[in-house]
Amino acid sequence: MNRKEIAAYIDHTLLAADAGVNQITKLCNEARTYNFASVCVNPVYVSLASSELQGTGVKVCTVIGFPLGASSSKVKAFEAKDAVENGADEIDMVINIGAAKDGRFTIVGSDIAAVVRASKRAGHKLGKEVIVKVILETCLLDDETIKNCCLCAKKAKADFVKTSTGFATPKGSDGQLLPNGASEHHVKIMRETVGEKMGVKASGGIRSAKTALAMIEAGANRIGTSSGVKIIEAIGE
C-alpha cells in the first residue's frame, strides 16, 4: 500500500486532556496535508476542527462517553447530538463496559442504539450522514463478550466497531499493567463477527507503519492513531 492508500484509513487523533487550540490546529493542518480520513478530537474542539477542515474532505470525529463509557444512555445521546450540531461527522462512543462484563447485553445494545438514533437524526436534520463507531474496550473483555458486543452494535445499526480508547488500565493477577490497545487477534474476531459490510476500527497503541498494516491485514478498515504522520512518512510514495 502507498501513502495515499494508508492515509485514507487513518483517524488522526489527539484526545489528551491538556491539548490546546494550537495543537488541535496543527492536527487539522496535518490531516489536510496528508488527506487523512478524519481528525478525532474531544467534543470541546469539534467546532474548531470543523472550521479548520471545512471544504477539505477530511471528516471531524469525536468521542462520546469517553473514556469510561459509564455515562447514562440519555447523556451519551445528548452529547452525540450536540457534537453533530457542532460539526462532527463521525461519533466514536464507548459502550457500557460494566454491563458487557456482566453479560447484560440488552443494556449494552440499548445504550448503543440511543447514540445511533441521536447521531443519525441530528445528521439527517443537517443533510449529512453521520457515522457511528462503537468502542468495545477489548482489553477488558474476553473473546465471547467481544463477539456479543459486536452483535449488539450490528443490531443497533452502528457503522463500525472499534477496539479501544487507549486509556484503559487493565491489570494482571500480579497487579502489573497489561496491554490496553488494539491487537490483531481482537480485530480478527471483530471482523469475523460483524462480516464484511460493517466497519472495524483498530485503535490504541498503533504507532508504526508495520503495526498499522498488520491491523489492516487482520481486517481493520480504519486506524485510530496519534502517530499518523510518522506512519505515513515511513511508507514509500
Side-chain angles (χ1 to χ4, degrees), residues 8-234:
Y9 280 78
I10 291 176
D11 288 349
H12 194 36
T13 303
L14 179 56
L15 297 170
D18 61 347
V21 169
N22 290 341
Q23 289 168 289
I24 298 299
T25 301
K26 180 174 181 287
L27 186 84
C28 293
N29 287 337
E30 291 170 345
R32 186 186 303 113
T33 298
Y34 292 96
N35 200 27
F36 291 133
S38 80
V39 296
C40 187
V41 299
N42 281 308
V44 70
Y45 287 124
V46 165
S47 295
L48 172 62
S50 179
S51 176
E52 289 288 329
L53 293 169
Q54 188 173 8
T56 67
V58 179
K59 302 297 186 182
V60 177
C61 173
T62 194
V63 288
I64 300 300
F66 193 86
L68 301 178
S71 302
S72 71
S73 298
K74 185 176 181 179
V75 168
K76 289 180 184 177
F78 177 83
E79 191 178 13
K81 175 179 177 289
D82 182 65
V84 172
E85 290 173 347
N86 285 332
D89 305 295
E90 303 189 354
I91 298 294
D92 287 17
M93 67 156 292
V94 186
I95 65 165
N96 184 329
I97 300 166
K101 289 181 72 69
D102 285 344
R104 294 181 287 130
F105 297 111
T106 299
I107 299 298
V108 174
S110 64
D111 186 60
I112 296 168
V115 175
V116 171
R117 284 194 301 270
S119 302
K120 300 289 186 179
R121 286 173 181 171
H124 180 72
K125 288 181 179 180
L126 294 170
K128 66 180 181 181
E129 183 65 30
V130 175
I131 288 175
V132 179
K133 310 189 201 92
V134 178
I135 306 173
L136 308 185
E137 204 68 283
T138 51
C139 65
L140 299 178
L141 308 176
D142 60 33
D143 290 357
E144 193 61 29
T145 304
I146 290 169
K147 292 177 185 178
N148 280 313
C149 289
C150 285
L151 293 175
C152 287
K154 188 173 184 177
K155 183 177 180 180
K157 298 184 178 180
D159 301 286
F160 277 75
V161 285
K162 175 180 170 181
T163 58
S164 319
T165 65
F167 285 75
T169 53
K171 295 181 180 179
S173 57
D174 59 0
Q176 296 298 308
L177 287 174
L178 298 173
N180 71 346
S183 74
E184 294 171 62
H185 172 70
H186 288 149
V187 169
K188 287 178 182 178
I189 289 173
M190 293 161 73
R191 173 54 68 201
E192 289 169 1
T193 304
V194 302
E196 293 302 316
K197 292 184 179 180
M198 194 170 175
V200 175
K201 178 175 173 179
S203 183
I206 302 172
R207 301 184 182 92
S208 70
K210 180 180 179 181
T211 304
L213 289 168
M215 295 299 170
I216 293 169
E217 180 66 25
N221 56 333
R222 196 73 74 90
I223 301 291
T225 178
S226 58
S227 300
V229 173
K230 177 183 175 183
I231 289 169
I232 295 301
E233 292 292 346

